[in-house]
Amino acid sequence: MTSERNPTRRILADGRQIFYFDDAGRFRARTARDSRELPALDHSSRMRFDVLTGEWITMASHRMTRTHLPSAADCPLCPTNETRTPTEIPESDYDVAVFENRFPSFASAPGDAAHSPGDDDPSDRPAVGHCEVMCFSSDHTASVAELPLERMRTIVGAWISRTEELSADPDVEQMFCFENRGEEIGVTLTHPHGQIYAYPYVTSRTRSMLTQAGKHFERTGRSLLADVLAFEREDGTRLIYDGDHWTAYVPTAARWPIEVHLAPHRDVPDLPSLNDEEREELAVVYQDLLRRVDRFYPGVDRVPYIAAWHQAPVRMDRALGRLHLQLFSILRAPGKLKYLAGSESAMGAWVNDTLPEAVAARLRELK
Ligand SMILES: [Zn+2]
Protein backbone atom coordinates (compact mmCIF):
# COMPACT_ATOMS: atom_id res chain seq x y z
CA MET A 1 0.00 0.00 0.00
CA THR A 2 1.23 3.47 -0.85
CA SER A 3 1.58 5.79 2.13
CA GLU A 4 -1.10 8.47 2.29
CA ARG A 5 1.68 10.97 2.82
CA ASN A 6 3.21 10.16 -0.56
CA PRO A 7 4.54 12.05 -2.29
CA THR A 8 6.44 14.77 -0.47
CA ARG A 9 6.53 17.85 -2.71
CA ARG A 10 9.53 20.23 -2.65
CA ILE A 11 10.82 23.07 -4.84
CA LEU A 12 14.28 23.14 -6.51
CA ALA A 13 16.46 26.25 -6.73
CA ASP A 14 15.09 27.32 -10.13
CA GLY A 15 11.45 26.80 -9.14
CA ARG A 16 10.97 23.32 -10.55
CA GLN A 17 9.01 20.80 -8.46
CA ILE A 18 10.44 17.56 -7.08
CA PHE A 19 8.33 14.73 -5.59
CA TYR A 20 9.63 12.02 -3.27
CA PHE A 21 7.73 8.72 -3.27
CA ASP A 22 8.75 6.48 -0.36
CA ASP A 23 8.46 2.70 -0.22
CA ALA A 24 5.72 1.48 2.15
CA GLY A 25 6.83 1.74 5.77
CA ARG A 26 9.86 3.87 4.89
CA PHE A 27 8.38 7.37 4.95
CA ARG A 28 10.92 10.00 5.93
CA ALA A 29 10.68 13.76 6.22
CA ARG A 30 12.17 15.41 3.13
CA THR A 31 13.56 18.77 4.19
CA ALA A 32 16.90 19.15 2.33
CA ARG A 33 17.21 22.46 0.49
CA ASP A 34 18.60 22.85 -3.03
CA SER A 35 21.66 25.06 -2.46
CA ARG A 36 22.66 25.41 -6.10
CA GLU A 37 22.61 28.61 -8.14
CA LEU A 38 20.82 27.63 -11.30
CA PRO A 39 20.17 29.66 -14.44
CA ALA A 40 16.57 30.54 -15.25
CA LEU A 41 14.64 27.86 -17.09
CA ASP A 42 14.40 28.03 -20.86
CA HIS A 43 10.79 27.91 -22.06
CA SER A 44 11.54 28.55 -25.72
CA SER A 45 10.37 25.19 -27.16
CA ARG A 46 7.90 25.52 -29.99
CA MET A 47 5.75 23.15 -31.98
CA ARG A 48 5.29 23.30 -35.71
CA PHE A 49 2.60 21.46 -37.62
CA ASP A 50 3.85 19.36 -40.53
CA VAL A 51 1.07 19.92 -43.05
CA LEU A 52 2.42 17.13 -45.25
CA THR A 53 1.84 14.40 -42.64
CA GLY A 54 -0.54 16.00 -40.13
CA GLU A 55 1.96 15.62 -37.27
CA TRP A 56 3.31 18.06 -34.70
CA ILE A 57 7.11 18.42 -34.51
CA THR A 58 8.66 20.01 -31.42
CA MET A 59 11.63 22.37 -31.77
CA ALA A 60 13.61 22.26 -28.50
CA SER A 61 16.99 23.64 -29.53
CA HIS A 62 17.97 24.49 -25.92
CA ARG A 63 18.23 20.74 -25.27
CA MET A 64 21.52 20.67 -27.23
CA THR A 65 23.36 21.81 -24.09
CA ARG A 66 21.96 19.12 -21.78
CA THR A 67 24.14 16.80 -19.72
CA HIS A 68 25.53 13.94 -21.81
CA LEU A 69 26.87 10.70 -20.29
CA PRO A 70 28.56 12.18 -17.20
CA SER A 71 30.80 9.99 -15.04
CA ALA A 72 29.19 8.44 -11.95
CA ALA A 73 30.84 11.13 -9.83
CA ASP A 74 29.00 13.84 -11.79
CA CYS A 75 25.67 12.04 -12.19
CA PRO A 76 22.85 14.58 -11.65
CA LEU A 77 20.40 11.83 -10.61
CA CYS A 78 22.41 10.50 -7.66
CA PRO A 79 21.51 11.81 -4.19
CA THR A 80 23.40 14.83 -2.85
CA ASN A 81 26.02 14.28 -0.14
CA GLU A 82 29.00 16.19 1.29
CA THR A 83 31.59 14.51 -0.92
CA ARG A 84 30.20 15.62 -4.26
CA THR A 85 28.71 18.63 -6.02
CA PRO A 86 24.96 18.99 -5.40
CA THR A 87 22.74 17.09 -7.85
CA GLU A 88 19.16 17.47 -9.05
CA ILE A 89 18.09 15.63 -5.89
CA PRO A 90 18.93 17.56 -2.70
CA GLU A 91 18.20 14.63 -0.34
CA SER A 92 21.06 12.33 0.75
CA ASP A 93 18.93 9.27 -0.07
CA TYR A 94 15.62 8.54 -1.75
CA ASP A 95 13.42 5.67 -2.94
CA VAL A 96 11.71 7.11 -6.02
CA ALA A 97 12.18 10.78 -6.94
CA VAL A 98 10.34 12.61 -9.73
CA PHE A 99 11.29 16.12 -10.83
CA GLU A 100 10.57 18.50 -13.68
CA ASN A 101 13.17 18.17 -16.42
CA ARG A 102 15.63 21.08 -16.57
CA PHE A 103 15.82 20.63 -20.35
CA PRO A 104 12.18 19.94 -21.26
CA SER A 105 10.82 19.39 -24.76
CA PHE A 106 7.52 20.78 -23.42
CA ALA A 107 7.61 23.61 -20.87
CA SER A 108 5.07 23.83 -18.08
CA ALA A 109 5.36 27.62 -17.72
CA PRO A 110 5.69 29.18 -21.16
CA GLY A 111 6.11 32.75 -19.86
CA ASP A 112 6.57 35.29 -22.64
CA ALA A 113 6.59 32.61 -25.29
CA ALA A 114 2.83 32.30 -24.85
CA HIS A 115 2.40 35.81 -26.25
CA SER A 116 4.90 35.68 -29.08
CA PRO A 117 3.83 36.67 -32.60
CA GLY A 118 3.84 33.01 -33.63
CA ASP A 119 0.59 32.59 -31.72
CA ASP A 120 -1.32 34.10 -34.61
CA ASP A 121 -0.20 31.14 -36.68
CA PRO A 122 -1.85 27.97 -35.33
CA SER A 123 0.77 25.86 -37.09
CA ASP A 124 3.58 27.37 -34.96
CA ARG A 125 2.88 27.61 -31.24
CA PRO A 126 4.61 27.33 -27.85
CA ALA A 127 5.24 23.72 -26.82
CA VAL A 128 3.24 23.79 -23.60
CA GLY A 129 3.18 20.60 -21.53
CA HIS A 130 5.30 18.78 -18.98
CA CYS A 131 8.45 16.68 -19.03
CA GLU A 132 9.46 14.94 -15.83
CA VAL A 133 12.30 12.62 -14.87
CA MET A 134 11.57 9.65 -12.58
CA CYS A 135 14.55 8.15 -10.71
CA PHE A 136 13.82 4.52 -9.78
CA SER A 137 16.60 4.12 -7.20
CA SER A 138 19.31 6.16 -5.49
CA ASP A 139 21.74 3.38 -6.52
CA HIS A 140 23.56 4.56 -9.66
CA THR A 141 24.15 1.01 -10.93
CA ALA A 142 20.72 -0.51 -10.17
CA SER A 143 18.46 -2.04 -12.80
CA VAL A 144 14.65 -1.89 -12.58
CA ALA A 145 14.41 -5.65 -13.24
CA GLU A 146 16.40 -6.40 -10.07
CA LEU A 147 14.88 -3.85 -7.65
CA PRO A 148 12.97 -5.18 -4.61
CA LEU A 149 9.27 -5.80 -5.33
CA GLU A 150 8.34 -3.12 -2.79
CA ARG A 151 10.22 -0.57 -4.91
CA MET A 152 8.41 -1.70 -8.05
CA ARG A 153 5.12 -1.08 -6.21
CA THR A 154 6.33 2.44 -5.41
CA ILE A 155 7.20 2.99 -9.09
CA VAL A 156 3.71 1.87 -10.19
CA GLY A 157 2.22 4.22 -7.58
CA ALA A 158 4.37 7.10 -8.84
CA TRP A 159 3.32 6.52 -12.49
CA ILE A 160 -0.33 6.60 -11.36
CA SER A 161 0.08 9.67 -9.16
CA ARG A 162 1.88 11.73 -11.84
CA THR A 163 -0.56 10.62 -14.57
CA GLU A 164 -3.48 11.70 -12.38
CA GLU A 165 -2.05 15.09 -11.49
CA LEU A 166 -0.78 16.05 -14.96
CA SER A 167 -3.99 14.84 -16.67
CA ALA A 168 -5.83 17.56 -14.74
CA ASP A 169 -3.87 20.28 -16.59
CA PRO A 170 -6.23 21.66 -19.30
CA ASP A 171 -3.26 21.99 -21.71
CA VAL A 172 -2.52 18.25 -21.55
CA GLU A 173 -4.07 15.85 -24.08
CA GLN A 174 -1.98 12.71 -23.60
CA MET A 175 0.17 11.15 -20.87
CA PHE A 176 3.20 8.98 -21.60
CA CYS A 177 5.26 7.15 -18.94
CA PHE A 178 8.32 5.38 -20.31
CA GLU A 179 11.82 4.11 -19.68
CA ASN A 180 14.69 4.15 -22.16
CA ARG A 181 17.42 1.82 -20.93
CA GLY A 182 20.88 1.65 -22.56
CA GLU A 183 23.22 4.01 -24.36
CA GLU A 184 22.28 2.23 -27.59
CA ILE A 185 18.78 3.78 -27.28
CA GLY A 186 20.27 7.26 -26.90
CA VAL A 187 20.12 7.46 -23.11
CA THR A 188 22.30 10.37 -21.95
CA LEU A 189 22.34 9.36 -18.26
CA THR A 190 22.98 5.76 -17.16
CA HIS A 191 21.41 6.16 -13.69
CA PRO A 192 18.20 4.04 -13.61
CA HIS A 193 15.44 6.46 -14.55
CA GLY A 194 12.38 6.89 -16.70
CA GLN A 195 10.50 9.87 -18.04
CA ILE A 196 6.99 11.23 -18.12
CA TYR A 197 5.76 13.32 -21.01
CA ALA A 198 2.49 15.24 -20.87
CA TYR A 199 1.77 16.19 -24.50
CA PRO A 200 -0.45 19.10 -25.57
CA TYR A 201 -1.77 16.96 -28.45
CA VAL A 202 -2.60 13.31 -29.19
CA THR A 203 0.47 11.66 -30.75
CA SER A 204 0.37 10.27 -34.27
CA ARG A 205 0.78 6.62 -33.21
CA THR A 206 -2.06 6.94 -30.73
CA ARG A 207 -4.26 8.60 -33.35
CA SER A 208 -3.57 5.70 -35.75
CA MET A 209 -4.50 3.19 -33.06
CA LEU A 210 -7.69 5.11 -32.20
CA THR A 211 -8.68 5.13 -35.88
CA GLN A 212 -8.22 1.35 -36.10
CA ALA A 213 -10.09 0.82 -32.83
CA GLY A 214 -12.91 3.09 -34.04
CA LYS A 215 -13.34 1.11 -37.28
CA HIS A 216 -13.39 -2.15 -35.34
CA PHE A 217 -15.97 -0.81 -32.90
CA GLU A 218 -18.24 0.37 -35.74
CA ARG A 219 -18.02 -3.06 -37.34
CA THR A 220 -18.37 -5.26 -34.26
CA GLY A 221 -19.40 -3.10 -31.29
CA ARG A 222 -16.36 -4.42 -29.42
CA SER A 223 -12.96 -3.17 -28.23
CA LEU A 224 -10.17 -3.94 -30.70
CA LEU A 225 -7.45 -4.42 -28.11
CA ALA A 226 -9.71 -6.61 -25.97
CA ASP A 227 -10.40 -8.78 -29.04
CA VAL A 228 -6.67 -9.01 -29.84
CA LEU A 229 -5.99 -10.01 -26.24
CA ALA A 230 -8.72 -12.69 -26.33
CA PHE A 231 -7.31 -14.03 -29.61
CA GLU A 232 -3.76 -14.25 -28.23
CA ARG A 233 -4.93 -16.01 -25.05
CA GLU A 234 -6.93 -18.51 -27.12
CA ASP A 235 -4.20 -19.08 -29.73
CA GLY A 236 -1.33 -19.32 -27.25
CA THR A 237 1.59 -19.45 -29.71
CA ARG A 238 2.85 -15.96 -28.87
CA LEU A 239 1.94 -15.95 -25.15
CA ILE A 240 4.64 -15.27 -22.58
CA TYR A 241 2.60 -14.76 -19.43
CA ASP A 242 -1.08 -15.40 -18.67
CA GLY A 243 -2.00 -14.28 -15.15
CA ASP A 244 -5.12 -13.43 -13.16
CA HIS A 245 -5.31 -9.83 -14.37
CA TRP A 246 -2.62 -9.41 -17.05
CA THR A 247 -1.41 -11.21 -20.18
CA ALA A 248 1.85 -10.66 -22.07
CA TYR A 249 2.38 -11.70 -25.68
CA VAL A 250 4.50 -10.95 -28.70
CA PRO A 251 2.23 -9.08 -31.15
CA THR A 252 1.54 -10.85 -34.46
CA ALA A 253 2.94 -7.91 -36.40
CA ALA A 254 5.87 -7.08 -34.10
CA ARG A 255 8.17 -4.51 -35.69
CA TRP A 256 11.13 -4.73 -33.30
CA PRO A 257 13.58 -7.67 -32.87
CA ILE A 258 12.18 -8.24 -29.35
CA GLU A 259 8.71 -6.86 -28.68
CA VAL A 260 6.19 -7.69 -25.95
CA HIS A 261 2.76 -6.25 -25.24
CA LEU A 262 1.36 -6.47 -21.72
CA ALA A 263 -2.39 -5.85 -21.41
CA PRO A 264 -4.86 -5.93 -18.50
CA HIS A 265 -7.80 -8.34 -18.82
CA ARG A 266 -10.25 -5.61 -17.82
CA ASP A 267 -11.05 -2.74 -20.20
CA VAL A 268 -9.03 0.02 -18.58
CA PRO A 269 -8.17 3.35 -20.25
CA ASP A 270 -5.14 4.32 -18.18
CA LEU A 271 -2.89 3.52 -15.21
CA PRO A 272 -4.99 5.41 -12.59
CA SER A 273 -8.00 3.19 -13.52
CA LEU A 274 -6.22 0.01 -12.32
CA ASN A 275 -7.60 -1.55 -9.12
CA ASP A 276 -5.43 -2.77 -6.23
CA GLU A 277 -5.19 -6.38 -7.47
CA GLU A 278 -4.18 -5.24 -10.96
CA ARG A 279 -1.52 -2.89 -9.56
CA GLU A 280 -0.07 -5.66 -7.40
CA GLU A 281 0.19 -8.18 -10.24
CA LEU A 282 1.57 -5.49 -12.55
CA ALA A 283 4.50 -4.87 -10.20
CA VAL A 284 5.36 -8.58 -10.33
CA VAL A 285 4.89 -9.23 -14.04
CA TYR A 286 6.63 -6.01 -15.13
CA GLN A 287 9.90 -7.05 -13.50
CA ASP A 288 9.45 -10.63 -14.73
CA LEU A 289 9.26 -9.40 -18.34
CA LEU A 290 12.30 -7.12 -17.94
CA ARG A 291 14.33 -10.05 -16.58
CA ARG A 292 13.35 -12.24 -19.54
CA VAL A 293 14.39 -9.52 -21.98
CA ASP A 294 17.71 -9.11 -20.12
CA ARG A 295 18.46 -12.84 -20.54
CA PHE A 296 17.39 -13.01 -24.18
CA TYR A 297 20.87 -13.03 -25.72
CA PRO A 298 23.50 -15.27 -24.13
CA GLY A 299 26.52 -13.17 -23.15
CA VAL A 300 24.59 -9.87 -23.06
CA ASP A 301 24.02 -8.67 -19.48
CA ARG A 302 21.77 -5.70 -20.02
CA VAL A 303 19.70 -5.60 -23.16
CA PRO A 304 18.81 -2.04 -24.20
CA TYR A 305 15.04 -1.59 -24.12
CA ILE A 306 12.20 0.89 -24.28
CA ALA A 307 9.23 0.29 -21.96
CA ALA A 308 6.36 2.46 -23.20
CA TRP A 309 2.94 2.86 -21.56
CA HIS A 310 0.12 3.44 -24.02
CA GLN A 311 -2.77 5.15 -22.25
CA ALA A 312 -6.05 6.49 -23.60
CA PRO A 313 -5.90 10.24 -24.36
CA VAL A 314 -6.86 12.47 -21.44
CA ARG A 315 -10.02 13.78 -23.15
CA MET A 316 -10.78 12.53 -26.67
CA ASP A 317 -11.80 8.95 -27.54
CA ARG A 318 -11.36 7.67 -23.97
CA ALA A 319 -13.64 4.71 -24.72
CA LEU A 320 -11.52 3.59 -27.70
CA GLY A 321 -8.13 3.82 -25.98
CA ARG A 322 -7.06 0.85 -23.86
CA LEU A 323 -4.08 0.68 -21.52
CA HIS A 324 -1.15 -1.50 -22.54
CA LEU A 325 2.61 -1.67 -22.22
CA GLN A 326 4.83 -1.95 -25.29
CA LEU A 327 8.23 -3.31 -24.27
CA PHE A 328 10.80 -3.63 -27.03
CA SER A 329 14.49 -3.77 -27.83
CA ILE A 330 16.46 -2.49 -30.80
CA LEU A 331 19.12 -5.20 -30.26
CA ARG A 332 18.70 -7.86 -32.99
CA ALA A 333 21.80 -9.89 -32.04
CA PRO A 334 24.68 -9.39 -29.58
CA GLY A 335 26.48 -6.24 -30.72
CA LYS A 336 24.05 -5.63 -33.59
CA LEU A 337 21.36 -2.96 -33.52
CA LYS A 338 18.23 -2.65 -35.59
CA TYR A 339 18.64 0.74 -37.25
CA LEU A 340 15.74 2.67 -38.62
CA ALA A 341 17.12 2.98 -42.13
CA GLY A 342 15.59 4.03 -45.45
CA SER A 343 12.43 1.94 -45.47
CA GLU A 344 11.48 2.59 -41.83
CA SER A 345 12.73 6.20 -41.52
CA ALA A 346 11.61 7.55 -44.87
CA MET A 347 8.60 5.38 -45.71
CA GLY A 348 7.38 4.19 -42.30
CA ALA A 349 7.51 0.69 -43.85
CA TRP A 350 8.89 -1.77 -41.32
CA VAL A 351 10.96 -4.86 -41.93
CA ASN A 352 11.52 -7.14 -38.91
CA ASP A 353 14.37 -9.69 -39.07
CA THR A 354 12.79 -11.91 -36.40
CA LEU A 355 9.67 -14.10 -36.25
CA PRO A 356 7.23 -13.25 -33.41
CA GLU A 357 6.49 -16.93 -32.66
CA ALA A 358 10.22 -17.71 -32.26
CA VAL A 359 10.74 -14.64 -30.05
CA ALA A 360 7.79 -15.72 -27.87
CA ALA A 361 9.16 -19.27 -27.55
CA ARG A 362 12.55 -17.90 -26.45
CA LEU A 363 10.96 -15.50 -23.92
CA ARG A 364 8.80 -18.33 -22.52
CA GLU A 365 11.78 -20.63 -21.90
CA LEU A 366 13.59 -17.88 -19.95
CA LYS A 367 11.17 -18.15 -17.04
ZN1 LIG B 1 23.67 8.38 -10.56
Side-chain angles (χ1 to χ4, degrees), residues 256 332 337-351 353:
W256 299 97
R332 60 185 175 84
L337 296 180
K338 159 82 180 168
Y339 285 107
L340 300 192
S343 188
E344 289 87 358
S345 295
M347 290 293 121
W350 287 71
V351 180
D353 303 331

Side-chain angles (χ1 to χ4, degrees), residues 135-179:
C135 301
F136 300 130
S137 167
S138 59
D139 176 357
H140 184 81
T141 61
S143 158
V144 176
E146 306 299 338
L147 290 171
L149 179 59
E150 192 55 50
R151 177 60 50 79
M152 194 61 227
R153 293 187 181 111
T154 307
I155 292 170
V156 171
W159 282 333
I160 289 168
S161 171
R162 297 313 300 146
T163 297
E164 269 178 337
E165 179 165 333
L166 294 175
S167 295
D169 180 338
D171 286 325
V172 171
E173 294 292 339
Q174 186 175 343
M175 289 300 307
F176 180 37
C177 305
F178 64 105
E179 180 190 3

